[in-house]
Amino acid sequence: MTVERTLSIIKPDATRRNLTGAVNKCFEDAGLRIVAQKRIKLSKSQAEDFYAVHKERPFYSDLCDFMTSGPVVVQVLEGENAIAKNREVMGATNPDDAAEGTIRKLFAENVEANSVHGSDSAENAAMEIKFYFKDDEIVG
């Protein structure tokens, strides 16, 4: 097994409801360690840059508006097969399709306000981590 790092974002719907600790407990219970973390308020340009991969999709503008609607918690998770493990713990994007006990099944309000974001590949994890963190901020 390979120790990996992945980016996790606790979205505005979850921070608004004070669920940061509950969400992080799910990650930690699954064997993922939080090796970097900060609570920030994304600017419109940061959200647009981060989600640029979705620029041509119909939900892009709404996604950027949502992600700037309140604070988020950006963090780096580390563990064996962390990318796949994080995605498993998060659950399906649509909370109606998410498995019981996953973060999105437990906490999401809907498809957009689904409480968490996680990198979907090693390449994206590396780029997404660099977007939010300098190397010396990751202290695992």
Side-chain angles (χ1 to χ4, degrees), residues 36-85:
Q37 182 182 70
K38 52 187 162 183
R39 185 180 183 97
I40 61 174
K41 178 83 165 65
L42 291 175
S43 69
K44 182 78 167 186
S45 66
Q46 284 175 308
E48 289 171 347
D49 288 348
F50 185 76
Y51 288 106
V53 67
H54 299 301
K55 190 170 188 140
E56 301 306 318
R57 303 190 84 181
F59 60 82
Y60 173 74
S61 180
D62 289 341
L63 174 62
C64 291
D65 288 344
F66 170 65
M67 291 301 292
T68 59
S69 69
V72 298
V73 176
V74 293
Q75 52 196 13
V76 179
L77 305 178
E78 180 180 82
E80 290 188 10
N81 297 311
I83 297 161
K85 176 61 71 176

Side-chain angles (χ1 to χ4, degrees), residues 1 5 7 9 11 23 28 30 37-39 49 64 66 69 80 89 100 102 104-105 109 120:
M1 298 226 176
R5 288 182 172 165
L7 185 82
I9 302 175
K11 294 181 177 182
V23 169
E28 291 176 334
Q37 182 182 70
K38 52 187 162 183
R39 185 180 183 97
D49 288 348
C64 291
F66 170 65
S69 69
E80 290 188 10
V89 172
E100 291 298 325
T102 61
R104 289 177 172 150
K105 187 61 138 187
E109 295 177 325
D120 63 1

Side-chain angles (χ1 to χ4, degrees), residues 95-136:
D96 293 338
D97 300 332
E100 291 298 325
T102 61
I103 292 169
R104 289 177 172 150
K105 187 61 138 187
L106 292 168
F107 305 122
E109 295 177 325
N110 55 54
V111 173
E112 180 181 73
N114 64 10
S115 299
V116 286
H117 163 90
S119 304
D120 63 1
S121 68
E123 297 77 23
N124 283 341
M127 288 187 308
E128 291 180 353
I129 289 168
K130 290 253 184 250
F131 187 90
Y132 290 108
F133 294 95
K134 298 176 190 163
D135 288 343
D136 65 354

